Amino acid sequence: MSIATPKYLSQSLAMKYFFVAVVLFGAQLVMGLIAAYQFVNPEFLFNVFNFSTARMVHINALVVWMLYAMIGSAYWMLPEETGIETVGIKLGTLGFYILTLAVTIVVGVYILVQVGPGTEASIWLINEGREYLEAPRWADIGITVVVLIFVYNVFATVMKGKRTGITTVLMADLIALAGLYLAGMFYTSNITMDQFWWWWVIHLWVEATWEVFVGVLIAYGLIKVMHANRQIVEMWLWIEVTMLFGSGILGMGHHYFWIGTPEYWWEIGALFSALEPVPLVGMLVHVIYDMGKHNGKVNNGPAFSWFIVNAFGNFLGAGVWGFMHTLPQINIYTHGSQFTAGHGHLAFYGAYATILIGMMYVAIQRRNGIEEMRSTATSKWAVSLITIGVLGMTVALTLSGYVQAFVERAEYGATWDGYFIAQGATWFTQGIDWRLAMGVVTFLGFLLLVKDLLTIAKRSKALAN
Amino acid sequence: MSEDYKEPESVWTSNRFWSRSAGWVTGFSAVLLILLTMDTLGQITMGSAEDLANKVTKRVPSASVINYKVTYEYSAVRGHEVPVIGEKELFFGRNDYSEAEANALLEKGKLTSQAKNCMNCHTLLGNGAYYAPDLTKAWLDPAWQAGGVMQGMTGTTSTDEAMLVFLQNPDKYASHARRMPNLGITPEEAKGLVAFLKQMSSIDTNGFPRNFNKIQGSTQK
Amino acid sequence: MEYLDPESFLGIFASAAAVIMFGAIYVGIFTLVKIEKVKPLYIALAYLAWGVQTYSMVMLGILVKSDPFTVKILFAAMVGYLLIPHFIYFLVHRTHERFEHI
Ligand code: HEM
Ligand code: HEM
Ligand SMILES: [Fe+2]
């Protein structure tokens, strides 16, 4: 069976989405470095480019590059799974340009205008000021329109082409994912109500719909990269969907402990979120299983490494780090501390960044018809440095978070004074310094990644000849 | 591969069985979440000025709570601190804000908090960024009370006035090396923000933050 | 909700991490035995990992001051966890028989 695929327009579009995703990933890291440096030297760009601006662009670029890479992955897989060109691909391509223009304008406004007066107009035009969902309302509407085009592409193609378990799950999941975004698009003066619905978007994305999307990518990856048996892979996929949604949907309770919502969320949140690591263990084992069954024979070295880092990273970042602070008894001490930031980094990286980068390698290989794409030294350095960097940042932040729980929360009761006493504690500042150092390591790894993504196809072809 | 797909005989190994299970489990969880949401929405809807006047406890009190004194006290029944709404108290010289006036102030404050991006430095209700102190109970923080540093520093004699001055020029009234920047907050916006912070401190957050005020020895037995 | 002793924080984080880690080690070794990558004897290690996991879970329950009833529930949940991989591999085995060895 040859790797080479016909030149589907859908896959050309996927490459465009991947390209912008990598650019935004770079922007994310630069902003992260600025924010991390401001922790160490608070006078840096003070009143010029404040921490809040750097952080906003950091996490917004994160969400947007991941959505880009997810959309790209879907456009990539569609023709291969369904056997036909994506329906309405011209419209889809137009959507890409509109979306990219909108994202450019939004980021420009974030960086140049930064904040506005306290009026509805600011929320419509500048930023909405709600973590991860800062995009101003006009952009929300634009994003929704483009995403609707995308969902239409997927839906129409799946209906017309060959139907597989993978495409069925993909389609249902994308509809849920897009629909949830609407829960974040209204204004209320009631901060409890605001946060209640905000978590519908954030939690039900990262701990339900995005995770299922990852399940789809793993299934596709195992079939394409390791020639795993589709029947078994798809059965696993359905079992994973069952476990992910069965635990993740009500696991949302772990965000409703302290925001003004009733006490019964303590029990519901504890029970269901404690179950959330189970599917992650399942996904890890799934990969070990197929690897063992196929004696680790793969046709795409770098993609395979990223898939492995994904299996472990998802398990560690979401599973282990998530479980450590998810019981209400302990969450009252860690809620909103650097501990949360540690978990956030490893989970987003381990569960999503890794597999999406893996998909980019899959796309590069197949686009160029490379039968067997081996890891280069650069690929290996890239995956190692980025992984060590993020893991290092996570450990450092966990240390800082521990000090915060201990000093600020247990000892001083989370007052203004207590907060700064903890921020000044030696071990806390050590953690913050190491986070910066490890951030630099991450960034170096990223530079190598870009180099590798740009050159690996040429090298592999040269090797084959 | 799907080409040699054969209709399985056993339910366990049939994808149809598992896809149906996925559908049922997801549907069931979603329905449960929606039912719980409906109950929760009822409980977190903002109370009214009447509730306050009649001492009806709401998880999220009306904006009119700015007319009253708010404290955070240990409740033996609940096993943690809860906000307690007390007697009338002056807020910028008045304690007779109508519900509409109070709502307008709160809305100004909430909008400003979004437009100025407070949540990308601070946490509100524990959600947000970790660069600056949690603001859930900022209104009740010892530093803002009589005898705390802020009234002295800003040359004011009440929490509301001290916050009003601070928010407009936070970089001038810094108490730590990590300062809050000047976000161009107008007096009107600052007043709204103070109302927003006061109302937020009256929300029943199930005892978060824990031990708040412990240094003062006032809230925990 | 009980006030915790800050001295027990370290134990809480460690036992919580151990629950998930040993949970994965248990299923991981179990899998390797099932696909015949390691000798069947290693299954003993898998069950040992489950034992450590269960111990950590009960420990965690006690450290966060759960009432004795909840601790019993936790134990029951661990017995459930012991059974899950057996069930999954029963399925996988049956599926393999259908689709690979016909
Ligand atoms: C890939 C999946 C996951 C991702 C990407 C993720 C990411 C995040 C992020 C970014 C936050 C911080 C949100 C904020 O800014 O306020 C967060 C909070 C949280 N996560 Fe996760 N998470 C994942 C899975 C899990 C799992 C499986 C658990 C539980 C077992 C968990 C438990 C929690 C808890 C309890 C919080 C609240 C922390 C606090 O109180 O401050 N997460 N997560
Ligand atoms: C160059 C490397 C990086 C640096 C220096 C960095 C730095 C930072 C800083 C300073 C914050 C603000 C934390 C706070 O509010 O106190 C932050 C937040 C965040 N970063 Fe990064 N970051 C880096 C890479 C990443 C990567 C690779 C990811 C994910 C793939 C990521 C995801 C996040 C998330 C989700 C948050 C919000 C966390 C929360 O609210 O709990 N960052 N980062
Ligand atoms: Fe969550």
Side-chain angles (χ1 to χ4, degrees):
Chain A
M1 187 178 72
S2 169
I3 275 288
T5 46
K7 298 269 176 196
Y8 287 114
L9 288 175
S10 189
Q11 298 194 328
S12 311
L13 179 56
M15 297 308 274
K16 293 194 180 74
Y17 268 105
F18 286 142
F19 178 80
V20 178
V22 175
V23 172
L24 286 168
F25 185 20
Q28 182 210 347
L29 295 184
V30 172
M31 291 295 156
L33 285 173
I34 295 176
Y37 183 62
Q38 285 172 326
F39 254 99
V40 175
N41 174 9
E43 291 304 307
F44 182 63
L45 297 179
F46 183 73
N47 270 340
V48 177
F49 196 80
N50 289 312
F51 177 87
S52 43
T53 306
R55 188 188 196 271
M56 168 169 69
V57 184
H58 178 60
I59 59 176
N60 246 228
L62 162 77
V63 172
V64 176
W65 87 250
M66 290 194 170
L67 287 172
Y68 262 71
M70 283 161 66
I71 296 176
S73 304
Y75 278 124
W76 181 270
M77 287 184 297
L78 262 186
E80 288 184 17
E81 284 292 307
T82 57
I84 57 169
E85 176 64 271
T86 296
V87 178
I89 189 65
K90 290 249 164 61
L91 193 60
T93 310
L94 182 68
F96 164 80
Y97 286 109
I98 296 176
L99 188 62
T100 306
L101 182 68
V103 168
T104 314
I105 297 174
V106 168
V107 173
V109 171
Y110 282 167
I111 291 179
L112 300 173
V113 184
Q114 302 179 4
V115 293
T119 57
E120 287 263 6
S122 296
I123 286 167
W124 274 92
L125 302 174
I126 302 172
N127 86 64
E128 218 174 311
R130 296 167 78 213
E131 214 193 347
Y132 306 104
L133 306 179
E134 286 94 344
R137 195 63 52 76
W138 74 264
D140 281 346
I141 294 172
I143 292 169
T144 310
V145 172
V146 175
V147 169
L148 282 179
I149 296 178
F150 166 60
V151 171
Y152 152 75
N153 284 154
V154 175
F155 198 85
T157 315
V158 169
M159 285 304 161
K160 191 173 155 204
K162 198 166 65 189
R163 190 84 173 263
T164 63
I166 290 186
T167 52
T168 310
V169 176
L170 178 70
M171 189 171 67
D173 192 51
L174 285 175
I175 291 172
L177 198 161
L180 283 169
Y181 191 65
L182 300 177
M185 277 176 56
F186 67 99
Y187 169 82
T188 161
S189 307
N190 180 340
I191 182 76
T192 296
M193 198 64 91
D194 177 312
Q195 293 297 292
F196 183 86
W197 289 110
W198 179 79
W199 281 117
W200 269 64
V201 189
I202 305 305
H203 173 98
L204 292 180
W205 267 6
V206 302
E207 283 161 69
T209 47
W210 287 28
E211 281 282 8
V212 167
F213 194 91
V214 167
V216 168
L217 295 183
I218 294 176
Y220 169 86
L222 289 175
I223 293 171
K224 296 293 163 174
V225 178
M226 279 201 275
H227 303 301
N229 176 298
R230 178 178 286 269
Q231 207 51 44
I232 293 182
V233 166
E234 290 193 342
M235 182 180 81
W236 275 108
L237 179 60
W238 285 115
I239 296 178
E240 278 161 14
V241 172
T242 311
M243 293 200 289
L244 284 168
F245 280 148
S247 61
I249 292 177
L250 289 163
M252 184 143 68
H254 66 190
H255 302 296
Y256 294 161
F257 297 153
W258 326 114
I259 63 165
T261 35
E263 280 103 331
Y264 53 69
W265 290 107
W266 283 350
E267 282 82 19
I268 295 167
L271 176 66
F272 287 93
S273 72
L275 291 174
E276 283 184 47
V278 177
L280 305 180
V281 173
M283 287 157 94
L284 174 67
V285 170
H286 178 170
V287 173
I288 298 180
Y289 175 87
D290 272 312
M291 219 164 77
K293 274 275 166 197
H294 299 87
N295 289 318
K297 256 188 29 217
V298 296
N299 61 28
N300 187 328
F304 181 72
S305 326
W306 282 104
F307 278 52
I308 296 294
V309 178
N310 170 262
F312 282 94
N314 198 355
F315 165 75
L316 277 179
V320 176
W321 257 264
F323 186 68
M324 278 202 273
H325 66 159
T326 205
L327 298 179
Q329 290 94 327
I330 192 75
N331 187 259
I332 194 164
Y333 295 99
T334 57
H335 181 44
S337 69
Q338 294 296 343
F339 202 99
T340 310
H343 158 68
H345 278 87
L346 194 56
F348 260 110
Y349 172 73
Y352 303 121
T354 49
I355 193 136
L356 294 170
I357 297 171
M359 281 302 291
M360 293 177 194
Y361 276 107
V362 170
I364 287 174
Q365 175 200 15
R366 302 174 81 77
R367 193 71 185 158
N368 291 288
I370 300 165
E371 298 292 333
E372 196 186 336
M373 191 162 96
R374 299 233 186 95
S375 290
T376 62
T378 319
S379 336
K380 289 179 191 158
W381 275 102
V383 63
S384 312
L385 285 182
I386 301 181
T387 304
I388 291 170
V390 175
L391 206 58
M393 287 198 291
T394 304
V395 171
L397 291 173
T398 306
L399 178 69
S400 295
Y402 182 76
V403 176
Q404 235 182 321
F406 210 93
V407 178
E408 174 193 329
R409 302 300 173 83
E411 208 169 332
Y412 289 98
T415 55
W416 184 351
D417 218 26
Y419 174 85
F420 275 105
I421 293 173
Q423 301 286 309
T426 314
W427 283 102
F428 183 94
T429 56
Q430 290 275 317
I432 292 299
D433 293 348
W434 277 104
R435 185 260 303 271
L436 180 59
M438 287 305 190
V440 173
V441 173
T442 309
F443 190 69
L444 292 178
F446 169 77
L447 294 179
L448 292 179
L449 175 69
V450 173
K451 178 181 169 224
D452 199 46
L453 288 173
L454 292 176
T455 56
I456 192 164
K458 229 187 213 156
R459 274 164 158 265
S460 306
K461 276 189 190 159
L463 218 67
N465 293 335
Chain B
M1 293 276 139
S2 47
E3 289 85 41
D4 45 54
Y5 177 83
K6 295 197 179 54
E7 198 58 45
E9 301 117 37
S10 152
V11 277
W12 294 116
T13 52
S14 103
N15 277 354
R16 185 180 285 171
F17 169 79
W18 286 106
S19 63
R20 291 216 174 135
S21 307
W24 279 105
V25 169
T26 307
F28 183 74
S29 308
V31 167
L32 215 60
L33 177 66
I34 289 167
L35 292 177
L36 287 164
T37 295
M38 292 196 309
D39 180 76
T40 298
L41 291 182
Q43 295 201 45
I44 64 175
T45 301
M46 227 183 251
S48 63
E50 262 145 62
D51 292 331
L52 288 169
N54 299 329
K55 302 221 169 289
V56 177
T57 315
K58 285 282 180 182
R59 298 196 69 94
V60 183
S62 149
S64 301
V65 74
I66 56 173
N67 290 319
Y68 296 83
K69 185 170 179 62
V70 181
T71 51
Y72 196 42
E73 294 173 21
Y74 186 80
S75 151
V77 184
R78 301 278 300 274
H80 52 70
E81 293 115 317
V82 287
V84 175
I85 296 161
E87 294 309 304
K88 287 254 179 163
E89 175 187 80
L90 292 177
F91 185 76
F92 294 109
R94 286 176 56 192
N95 62 14
D96 58 351
Y97 292 91
S98 70
E99 192 150 34
E101 285 176 307
N103 274 332
L105 273 176
L106 180 68
E107 177 158 338
K108 184 53 123 188
K110 173 72 172 19
L111 278 172
T112 307
S113 80
Q114 290 184 221
K116 303 291 181 191
N117 221 340
C118 313
M119 268 186 121
N120 267 313
C121 282
H122 292 276
T123 43
L124 307 182
L125 305 175
N127 296 329
Y130 321 119
Y131 186 71
D134 180 54
L135 295 182
T136 312
K137 305 289 172 194
W139 171 260
L140 305 169
D141 199 282
W144 293 110
Q145 315 307 319
V149 292
M150 293 313 287
Q151 294 190 12
M153 198 195 294
T154 54
T156 54
T157 53
S158 58
T159 303
D160 46 1
E161 295 288 349
M163 283 189 161
L164 188 81
V165 173
F166 171 81
L167 287 172
Q168 292 173 72
N169 279 299
D171 48 344
K172 303 247 154 51
Y173 298 100
S175 37
H176 297 91
R178 196 189 298 164
R179 291 183 290 161
M180 171 161 159
N182 190 327
L183 299 166
I185 296 171
T186 65
E188 191 205 359
E189 287 168 349
K191 194 170 168 189
L193 283 171
V194 180
F196 171 63
L197 291 172
K198 182 168 184 181
Q199 191 262 351
M200 182 158 60
S201 77
S202 74
I203 296 174
D204 182 345
T205 49
N206 293 340
F208 175 86
R210 161 153 299 182
N211 280 338
F212 194 76
N213 269 2
K214 188 172 142 191
I215 336 174
Q216 309 245 304
S218 61
T219 52
Q220 200 201 343
K221 291 175 301 177
Chain C
M1 195 147 295
E2 299 284 336
Y3 282 71
L4 301 182
D5 179 2
E7 302 302 325
S8 63
F9 281 0
L10 196 59
I12 290 172
F13 291 126
S15 53
V19 168
I20 309 292
M21 297 294 288
F22 283 98
I25 293 174
Y26 160 52
V27 193
I29 300 178
F30 190 93
T31 303
L32 292 177
V33 172
K34 285 282 161 188
I35 58 177
E36 294 165 8
K37 283 283 148 188
V38 298
K39 291 203 191 78
L41 214 61
Y42 279 89
I43 199 74
L45 273 184
Y47 291 123
L48 183 68
W50 176 82
V52 178
Q53 183 196 11
T54 304
Y55 175 80
S56 310
M57 183 64 122
V58 170
M59 190 72 182
L60 175 65
I62 293 170
L63 283 176
V64 299
K65 302 195 181 169
S66 311
D67 53 76
F69 178 71
T70 311
V71 176
K72 287 202 185 80
I73 299 272
L74 289 179
F75 188 78
M78 292 312 304
V79 175
Y81 191 77
L82 180 64
L83 301 177
I84 293 179
H86 292 83
F87 174 65
I88 299 273
Y89 282 101
F90 166 72
L91 290 184
V92 169
H93 192 67
R94 293 282 290 270
T95 318
H96 257 287
E97 280 181 347
R98 308 211 69 77
F99 297 102
E100 281 188 351
H101 307 293
I102 318 175

